[in-house]
């Protein structure tokens, strides 16, 4: 295929029929260091959709890592979910060999559809992987709770700036109650927020609702629920030109990557007075954990860096309000500044 034009530094096609491996590794930038980003496994309609998702996610990782001031560039692996039955261990060992062939230019970890057990399989073929079982006081383990902690810090900070009320006085809609979304619901419930949730898996939603006394709504209705805060925590592209006019939340801050269907949606939200916290500013907790693990740093270092997400979001929103800009514009400018500073 001819790849659509992107700014990717390196594109690696993954194709191993024996294991069912079918996908891409896209390295967007190595200005700040080797490319770092997780490995996603889901079903795609065609190879072009597979590649475009990898390219968009890799760019998002470059922004995320730069904004968090991590010494890594941005990259992503996206794999097409094979038809059943398939040998999952063989698939991820084949993926691990592909990562090894890059000689350290890419560091992988978990993402949507992949697990710690999958990364343990990858580790049998390469050392350039994070998200493994935690050892002693070194960072590591499931990145989901770390991502949720960072998103919670971002929501808490953004609510103070935007709504001037504590979470105990606010209604929050959480789209997606998987590993990250469920952990985020727990943190929000502990803070006293009133929860509305939705998930494609009814059993998963029922379990979270029972645990945290949350209201369940069906499907896309969560995006236009009558709440103060909307937290997209499933897949990307949910904030579209069509849905923005119906959104009732005043603040959007969640864990999903690439929440904006198009860049123009940020301007539409800004025009309606809805504050959108850029996803890569809020959801950096997982990559902070993974890169700390890869560098052999402690869980204490991880916690300190994740605590910085809240003040960083506050600074972004304060600057955006002062300058009359969408927060995305401020975050992108700050990330670009960090690129230049690292390259100098």
């Amino acid at each position: 295929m001819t790849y659509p034009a992107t700014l990717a530094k390196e594109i690696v096609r993954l194709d191993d029929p024996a294991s069912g491996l079918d996908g891409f590794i896209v390295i967007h930038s190595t200005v700040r260091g080797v490319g770092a980003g997780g490995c996603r496994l889901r079903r795609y309609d065609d190879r072009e959709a597979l590649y475009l998702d990898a390219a968009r996610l890799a760019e998002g990782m470059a922004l995320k890592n730069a904004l968090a001031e991590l010494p890594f560039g941005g990259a992503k692996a996206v794999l097409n979910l094979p038809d059943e039955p398939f040998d999952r261990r063989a698939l991820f060992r084949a993926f691990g060999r592909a990562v090894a062939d890059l000689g350290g230019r890419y560091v992988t970890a978990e993402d949507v559809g992949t697990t710690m057990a999958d990364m343990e399989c990858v580790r049998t073929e390469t050392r350039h992987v994070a998200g493994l079982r935690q050892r002693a006081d070194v960072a590591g383990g499931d990145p989901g709770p770390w991502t949720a902690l960072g998103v919670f810090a971002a929501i808490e900070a953004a609510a103070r700036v935007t709504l001037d009320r504590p979470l105990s006085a606010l209604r929050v809609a959480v789209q997606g109650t998987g590993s990250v979304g469920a952990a985020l619901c727990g943190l929000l419930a502990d803070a006293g927020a009133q929860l509305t949730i939705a998930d494609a898996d009814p059993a998963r939603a029922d379990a979270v609702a029972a645990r945290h006394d949350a209201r369940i709504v069906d499907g896309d209705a969560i995006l236009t629920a009558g709440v103060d805060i909307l937290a997209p925590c499933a897949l990307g592209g949910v904030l579209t030109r069509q849905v923005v006019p119906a959104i009732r939340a005043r603040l959007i801050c969640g864990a999903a990557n690439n929440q904006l269907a198009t860049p123009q949606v940020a301007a539409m939200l800004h025009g309606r007075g809805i504050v959108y916290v850029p996803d890569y500013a809020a959801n950096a907790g997982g990559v902070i954990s993974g890169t700390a693990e890869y560098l052999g740093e402690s869980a204490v270092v991880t916690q300190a860096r994740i605590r910085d997400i809240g003040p960083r979001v506050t600074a972004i929103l304060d600057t955006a309000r002062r300058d009359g800009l969408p927060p995305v514009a401020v975050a992108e400018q700050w990330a670009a500044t960090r690129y230049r500073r690292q390259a100098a």
Side-chain angles (χ1 to χ4, degrees):
M1 65 178 279
T2 300
Y3 304 127
T6 69
L7 298 177
K9 178 181 177 67
E10 186 173 357
I11 302 166
V12 180
R13 175 78 180 98
L14 305 174
D15 186 12
D16 181 50
S19 66
L21 179 65
D22 174 27
F24 291 92
I25 297 171
V26 176
I27 300 174
H28 182 82
S29 169
T30 56
V31 171
R32 295 186 60 84
V34 302
C39 173
R40 177 166 294 198
L41 177 68
R42 61 183 292 255
R43 183 76 36 77
Y44 289 83
D45 293 334
D46 54 54
R47 194 160 289 166
E48 183 171 327
L50 183 69
Y51 168 72
L52 285 174
D53 201 24
R56 284 191 290 260
L57 290 165
E59 182 178 13
M61 289 306 305
L63 291 168
K64 185 184 303 187
N65 292 342
L67 196 62
E69 301 209 56
L70 299 175
F72 289 87
K76 203 77 172 185
V78 173
L79 312 182
N80 204 11
L81 180 64
D83 292 332
E84 296 286 357
F86 72 97
D87 186 334
R88 196 172 181 105
R89 286 186 60 82
L91 176 74
F92 281 99
R93 290 194 67 170
F95 173 64
R97 290 191 292 273
V99 173
D101 288 344
L102 288 170
R105 298 196 298 280
Y106 168 56
V107 178
T108 194
E110 291 146 82
D111 195 72
V112 173
T114 59
T115 67
M116 193 184 309
D118 296 329
M119 294 305 109
E120 295 286 350
C121 285
V122 173
R123 182 65 180 86
T124 64
E125 304 291 340
T126 179
R127 67 180 182 85
H128 302 298
V129 56
L132 308 173
R133 295 185 187 90
Q134 193 164 4
R135 310 181 316 277
D137 62 346
V138 176
D142 180 4
W146 294 113
T147 302
L149 182 61
V151 174
F152 176 77
I155 289 175
E156 196 172 38
R160 283 195 299 268
V161 173
T162 304
L163 306 175
D164 195 27
R165 280 185 288 165
L167 287 172
S168 58
L170 296 171
R171 300 161 299 165
V172 185
V174 179
Q175 182 191 40
T177 57
S179 171
V180 177
L184 177 62
C185 285
L187 294 169
L188 290 167
D190 288 346
Q194 180 182 331
L195 295 178
T196 299
I197 63 172
D199 196 283
D201 182 342
R204 197 159 62 182
D206 287 344
V208 172
R211 194 155 55 243
H212 302 302
D213 193 26
R215 180 172 70 100
I216 299 174
V217 298
D218 292 332
D220 291 341
I222 192 77
L223 299 173
T224 56
V227 297
D228 304 294
I229 302 169
L230 171 62
C233 296
L235 295 175
V238 296
L239 302 177
T240 66
R241 296 173 62 89
Q242 292 73 32
V243 78
V244 166
I247 291 175
R248 290 190 276 174
R250 292 176 55 201
L251 169 64
I252 301 175
C253 181
N257 288 311
N258 298 334
Q259 294 166 32
L260 304 179
T262 66
Q264 292 75 26
V265 171
M268 291 181 65
L269 291 168
H270 184 63
R272 285 206 57 215
I274 298 170
V275 173
Y276 168 67
V277 177
D279 45 55
Y280 53 85
N283 67 8
V287 73
I288 288 171
S289 169
T291 54
E293 174 189 348
Y294 184 71
L295 295 172
E297 297 174 335
S298 70
V300 173
V301 169
T302 299
Q303 291 166 353
R305 288 189 180 141
I306 291 174
R307 281 197 298 270
D308 287 341
I309 290 175
R312 187 179 300 118
V313 166
T314 297
I316 289 170
L317 298 185
D318 283 344
T319 302
R321 183 163 56 182
R322 183 196 68 203
D323 296 345
L325 295 171
V328 167
V330 175
E332 288 180 353
Q333 183 181 43
W334 288 10
T337 299
R338 285 161 170 76
Y339 276 135
R340 289 193 293 271
R341 189 168 66 228
Q342 190 77 9

